[in-house]
Amino acid sequence: MNPVLAESVRLTDAGVYILDRREFPFQHNWVMCRTAEDVARAIEDLVTQSSGPYFATLYAMVLAA
């Protein structure tokens, strides 16, 4: 199953999983972020692109709360 953009950022009990768009579609690797700071670093490193940073930022606020 190929992930679609809407599913490229996921919030779980363990943290936020972000599909590494720098490698997609050649590889399907996920970056695990356990803190809001990890999410910020992933956004800065362009792990997530397009509308992904909006979802990542939302989930980072959930982690911080």
Side-chain angles (χ1 to χ4, degrees):
M1 179 175 132
N2 290 333
V4 295
L5 183 59
E7 298 173 352
S8 66
V9 181
R10 298 179 181 164
L11 179 63
T12 69
D13 290 339
V16 178
Y17 284 92
I18 302 174
L19 178 65
D20 194 337
R21 301 293 290 186
R22 300 169 298 182
E23 301 172 350
F24 184 81
F26 305 108
Q27 295 181 8
H28 295 161
N29 295 323
W30 294 85
V31 173
M32 170 58 155
C33 300
R34 297 188 192 279
T35 66
E37 291 79 12
D38 291 343
V39 174
R41 191 172 310 105
I43 292 170
E44 288 174 353
D45 292 345
L46 297 176
V47 171
T48 180
Q49 301 167 17
S50 187
S51 63
Y54 297 110
F55 292 104
T57 301
L58 169 67
Y59 297 149
M61 289 189 286
V62 171
L63 290 176

